[in-house]
């Protein structure tokens, strides 16, 4: 959206790789595909060199499209060229850090877990340049999200309410709380620049979710224009009612021909205070992935489809970012009417 020089990008990528604790002598693979941004490849390569690392730039054929048309869902089959190529996999497993500049990555592909188990750190980068720079993480972000993870781990129930009518009760047992902080600094860690959020993978949730005007549907990258009510039973969407967006969601679920399309997957809240809720309206749909919406401080983010804790594979992945919610974990209110408690 804004003109940024190669110097700006090099500086941002260098700061990011330092947050990833890249050390002199480590090995970096800059992973790209033909459609990746060339300026990102150059900036990542230069930043790795500036940190004293050994660096290889690897360009692989692009991924196959997901069974459903979508833009930046992160739920498709990912880079088939990597999934079907043991040599490419061995290269990534041998690296200390992979800078993933591909369009879709392979977030939900089992091979990514194999690469992480080898100790490789992976940082996924796929958003507009000024979004990356505006939302460059800080080292202290990790400590803050870990507080949220600790709270979820020792709690039993999360409740989400809103003036619009949302009232959802979530059972936290076995929900495997996780986080994103925008940098990958531990061996075997995957993260996403930019992102600052707490999330978990519950199995059971009940009640209703009411999407209000201004909530954001991803990957459609559309704002809700009229209220949508979703009835939730046992972690599944049993009924969708409302205006145009209700019809959009219902059609998506039906066309998915996926048994898990109406099943809830991860949910949690955002802590990225530099994010702009209106960013989705300021860019073309191919210009950004939508991390401002996904990680906006005080949002409630929930999703559908894939669920690694339950071993559920699905391409019908939606992320829905909501404003104005109150999120309570046991007796602790972490978000109050769309604002981080204590801010």
């Amino acid at each position: 959206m804004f003109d940024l020089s190669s110097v700006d990008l090099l500086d941002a990528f260098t700061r990011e790789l330092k947050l990833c604790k890249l050390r002199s002598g480590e090995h970096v693979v800059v992973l790209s595909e033909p459609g990746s941004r060339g300026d990102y490849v150059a900036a990542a390569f230069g930043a790795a060199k500036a940190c004293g690392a050994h660096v290889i730039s690897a360009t692989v054929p692009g991924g196959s499209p997901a069974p459903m048309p979508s833009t930046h869902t992160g739920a498709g089959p990912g880079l088939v060229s990597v999934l079907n190529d043991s040599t490419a996999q061995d290269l990534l497993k041998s690296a200390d850090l992979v800078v993933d500049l591909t369009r879709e990555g392979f977030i939900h592909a089992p091979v990514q877990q194999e690469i992480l188990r080898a100790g490789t750190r992976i940082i996924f980068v796929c958003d507009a340049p000024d979004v990356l720079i505006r939302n460059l993480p800080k080292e202290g972000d990790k400590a803050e999200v870990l507080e949220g993870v600790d709270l979820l781990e020792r709690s039993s129930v999360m409740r989400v309410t809103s003036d619009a009518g949302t009232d959802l009760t979530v059972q936290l047992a076995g929900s495997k709380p996780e986080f994103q902080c925008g940098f990958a600094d531990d061996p075997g860690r995957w993260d996403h620049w930019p992102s600052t959020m707490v999330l978990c993978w519950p199995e059971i949730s009940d009640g209703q979710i009411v999407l209000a005007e201004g909530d954001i549907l991803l990957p459609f990258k559309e704002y809700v224009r009229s209220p949508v009510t979703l009835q939730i039973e046992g972690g599944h969407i049993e009924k969708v009612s409302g205006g145009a967006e209700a019809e959009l969601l219902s059609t998506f679920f039906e066309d998915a021909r996926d048994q898990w399309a109406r099943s809830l997957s991860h949910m949690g809240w955002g802590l990225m205070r530099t994010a702009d809720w209106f960013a989705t309206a300021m860019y073309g749909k191919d210009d950004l992935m939508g991390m401002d919406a996904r990680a906006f401080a005080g949002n409630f983010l929930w999703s559908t489809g894939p669920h690694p804790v339950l071993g559920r594979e699905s391409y019908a992945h939606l992320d829905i970012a909501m404003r104005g919610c109150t999120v309570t974990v046991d007796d602790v209110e972490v978000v109050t009417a769309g604002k981080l408690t204590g801010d």
Side-chain angles (χ1 to χ4, degrees), residues 123-139:
I123 186 67
F124 180 51
V125 187
C126 185
D127 232 311
D130 53 303
V131 173
L132 299 181
I133 291 174
R134 171 167 47 80
N135 294 313
L136 190 72
K138 304 181 296 297
E139 189 171 357

Side-chain angles (χ1 to χ4, degrees), residues 254-325:
E254 292 166 9
D255 287 357
R257 301 184 185 278
D258 187 316
Q259 64 176 321
W260 306 119
R262 291 175 176 263
S263 297
L264 274 56
S265 56
H266 65 77
M267 59 181 67
W269 63 94
L271 295 102
M272 195 157 72
R273 294 172 178 82
T274 53
D276 289 332
W277 190 264
F278 54 80
T280 303
M282 302 295 289
Y283 299 81
K285 290 191 177 185
D286 285 338
D287 293 334
L288 82 169
M289 187 170 185
M291 294 310 296
D292 278 287
R294 287 180 171 92
F296 183 89
N299 79 356
F300 172 61
L301 181 75
W302 62 277
S303 63
T304 67
H307 197 304
V309 175
L310 300 178
R312 201 168 73 201
E313 295 185 12
S314 170
Y315 296 135
H317 185 58
L318 300 179
D319 281 331
I320 299 182
M322 299 173 61
R323 293 189 300 175
C325 293

Side-chain angles (χ1 to χ4, degrees), residues 113-128:
Q113 296 306 311
E114 294 179 20
I115 295 166
L116 294 173
R117 282 195 291 271
T120 301
R121 315 192 294 282
I122 301 176
I123 186 67
F124 180 51
V125 187
C126 185
D127 232 311

Side-chain angles (χ1 to χ4, degrees), residues 6-342:
S6 58
V7 174
D8 294 322
L9 280 178
L10 177 60
D11 176 67
F13 270 84
T14 301
R15 291 163 65 188
E16 172 66 22
L17 297 192
K18 287 181 178 178
L19 285 169
C20 292
K21 293 185 179 177
L22 182 61
R23 298 183 299 274
S24 178
E26 286 196 307
H27 293 81
V28 176
V29 172
V30 179
L31 181 67
S32 64
E33 56 188 332
S36 298
R37 293 184 57 122
D39 53 350
Y40 283 15
V41 174
F45 194 98
K49 290 291 291 181
C51 292
H54 306 286
V55 57
I56 295 173
S57 180
T59 304
V60 298
S64 299
M68 299 183 65
S70 60
T71 302
H72 298 329
T73 67
L79 291 172
V80 173
S81 54
V82 172
L83 305 184
N84 296 333
D85 187 341
S86 60
T87 299
Q89 294 171 28
D90 289 343
L91 173 64
L92 300 180
K93 290 177 183 177
S94 69
D96 296 293
L97 177 67
V98 171
V99 183
D100 184 356
L101 303 178
T102 62
R103 298 275 291 178
E104 295 281 351
F106 37 97
I107 299 170
H108 297 284
V111 70
Q112 176 160 287
Q113 296 306 311
E114 294 179 20
I115 295 166
L116 294 173
R117 282 195 291 271
T120 301
R121 315 192 294 282
I122 301 176
I123 186 67
F124 180 51
V125 187
C126 185
D127 232 311
D130 53 303
V131 173
L132 299 181
I133 291 174
R134 171 167 47 80
N135 294 313
L136 190 72
K138 304 181 296 297
E139 189 171 357
D141 292 344
K142 184 176 180 181
E144 185 175 22
V145 294
L146 285 174
E147 288 180 8
V149 169
D150 181 64
L151 175 63
L152 289 172
E153 286 178 336
R154 66 176 190 266
S155 301
S156 302
V157 176
M158 177 167 65
R159 189 177 178 206
V160 184
T161 59
S162 74
D163 288 344
T166 293
D167 193 344
L168 184 72
T169 299
V170 182
Q171 304 301 323
L172 294 174
S175 65
K176 194 184 176 185
E178 296 181 8
F179 68 93
Q180 292 178 16
C181 63
F183 51 91
D185 59 340
D186 294 320
R189 172 74 189 163
W190 177 94
D191 217 298
H192 189 165
W193 172 30
S195 186
T196 316
M197 67 172 71
V198 177
L199 64 145
C200 61
W201 299 88
E203 179 179 4
I204 303 299
S205 49
D206 295 281
Q208 74 174 12
I209 296 173
V210 180
L211 306 181
E213 293 91 338
D215 291 342
I216 301 178
L217 307 177
L218 302 155
F220 307 117
K221 299 171 188 168
E222 295 281 352
Y223 291 91
V224 172
R225 293 165 292 175
S226 57
V228 177
T229 300
L230 304 103
Q231 299 296 333
I232 312 297
E233 295 180 14
H236 301 278
I237 299 169
E238 297 296 333
K239 183 180 179 181
V240 182
S241 58
E245 286 76 30
E247 184 64 25
L248 175 67
L249 291 174
S250 294
T251 303
F252 177 90
F253 296 143
E254 292 166 9
D255 287 357
R257 301 184 185 278
D258 187 316
Q259 64 176 321
W260 306 119
R262 291 175 176 263
S263 297
L264 274 56
S265 56
H266 65 77
M267 59 181 67
W269 63 94
L271 295 102
M272 195 157 72
R273 294 172 178 82
T274 53
D276 289 332
W277 190 264
F278 54 80
T280 303
M282 302 295 289
Y283 299 81
K285 290 191 177 185
D286 285 338
D287 293 334
L288 82 169
M289 187 170 185
M291 294 310 296
D292 278 287
R294 287 180 171 92
F296 183 89
N299 79 356
F300 172 61
L301 181 75
W302 62 277
S303 63
T304 67
H307 197 304
V309 175
L310 300 178
R312 201 168 73 201
E313 295 185 12
S314 170
Y315 296 135
H317 185 58
L318 300 179
D319 281 331
I320 299 182
M322 299 173 61
R323 293 189 300 175
C325 293
T326 294
V327 180
T328 305
V329 181
D330 277 357
D331 296 324
V332 179
E333 204 167 274
V334 293
V335 177
T336 305
K339 303 292 184 183
L340 290 173
T341 304

